[in-house]
C-alpha cells in the first residue's frame, strides 16, 4: 500500500505515525527505502513516542524508565541523516490513545513535555530553523499544502 500511494497518489504525503524499521523491525514501520521515497516526494513522517516503537525490544515489564528521550532524538536524527534534511520528520506523538504515560520515554509525562525535544535537538547541534521544522513546521507545511 505504501508503494502504491507513493507511486500513484499525486497529492501531499504524510506518514503521520511512523518510525523507522531500524529501531523496531515490523511492517508497521517504514524501511529505509520507504523513508527515502517519502523524502523524494517531499513527504513528512511523524515519529511516534511509544517506547515499543522507539525500541522493538522494549517490553511493558521494562518500565517507562528503560527508554530515555535521547532515543526519540536518535530516531529523529536517523531520519534526518538518511534523508539528508530535517524537512521530512515531525512528531506523531499519539498521546490520545492506545498506550499510557507508562509507555513513553522516561522524562515525558504529558504533551507539554514535547518541548523537551527542543533542547535535546539543540544539544545535538540542530539549528533553530531545523528544530522549528521538526517540532511543528514540517507538519504544518504539509497540512497547508493538503488544504
Amino acid at each position: 500500500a505504501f508503494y502504491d500511494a507513493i507511486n500513484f497518489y499525486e497529492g501531499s504525503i504524510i506518514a503521520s505515525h511512523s518510525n523507522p524499521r531500524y529501531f523496531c523491525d515490523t511492517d508497521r514501520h517504514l524501511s529505509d527505502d520507504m523513508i527515502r521515497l517519502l523524502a523524494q516526494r517531499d513527504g513528512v513522517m511523524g515519529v511516534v513516542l511509544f517506547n515499543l516503537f522507539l525500541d522493538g525490544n522494549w517490553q511493558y515489564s521494562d518500565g517507562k524508565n528503560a527508554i530515555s528521550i535521547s532515543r526519540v532524538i536518535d530516531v529523529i536524527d536517523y531520519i534526518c541523516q538518511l534523508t539528508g534534511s530535517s524537512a521530512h520528520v515531525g512528531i506523531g506523538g499519539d498521546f490520545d490513545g492506545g498506550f499510557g504515560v507508562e509507555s513513553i520515554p522516561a522524562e515525558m509525562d504529558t504533551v507539554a513535555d514535547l518541548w523537551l525535544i527542543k533542547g535535546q535537538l539543540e544539544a545535538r547541534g540542530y539549528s533553530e530553523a531545523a528544530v522549528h521544522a521538526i517540532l511543528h513546521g514540517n507538519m504544518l507545511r504539509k497540512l497547508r499544502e493538503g488544504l
Side-chain angles (χ1 to χ4, degrees):
F2 174 89
Y3 289 105
D4 283 346
I6 288 291
N7 290 323
F8 299 111
Y9 180 67
E10 296 178 7
S12 187
I13 302 274
I14 297 176
S16 62
H17 294 76
S18 303
N19 287 19
R21 286 186 186 169
Y22 180 83
F23 295 91
C24 183
D25 190 14
T26 72
D27 62 3
R28 188 211 186 281
H29 302 291
L30 302 184
S31 68
D32 289 357
D33 180 58
M34 292 172 168
I35 295 168
R36 286 185 194 103
L37 289 171
L38 184 75
Q40 288 173 9
R41 285 285 312 276
D42 193 34
V44 175
M45 64 186 290
V47 173
V48 182
L49 306 180
F50 179 34
N51 284 348
L52 182 60
F53 292 175
L54 297 168
D55 182 338
N57 295 315
W58 182 83
Q59 299 177 28
Y60 286 94
S61 61
D62 295 334
K64 174 183 182 73
N65 292 329
I67 304 293
S68 170
I69 194 170
S70 65
R71 177 50 68 103
V72 175
I73 308 308
D74 292 342
V75 172
I76 291 169
D77 187 60
Y78 183 85
I79 297 163
C80 292
Q81 298 302 320
L82 189 64
T83 64
S85 172
S86 62
H88 306 291
V89 63
I91 307 299
D94 214 8
F95 286 161
D96 60 344
F99 54 86
V101 70
E102 69 280 355
S103 302
I104 62 176
E107 301 85 347
M108 305 183 91
D109 290 315
T110 73
V111 71
D113 293 326
L114 288 172
W115 284 114
L116 297 172
I117 295 170
K118 178 182 185 290
Q120 294 281 326
L121 287 169
E122 291 169 343
R124 292 258 185 120
Y126 279 81
S127 70
E128 182 178 336
V131 171
H132 176 274
I134 293 165
L135 288 180
H136 66 281
N138 293 332
M139 288 296 194
L140 189 55
R141 171 175 50 88
K142 296 314 289 183
L143 289 172
R144 285 180 174 148
E145 285 176 15
L147 293 174

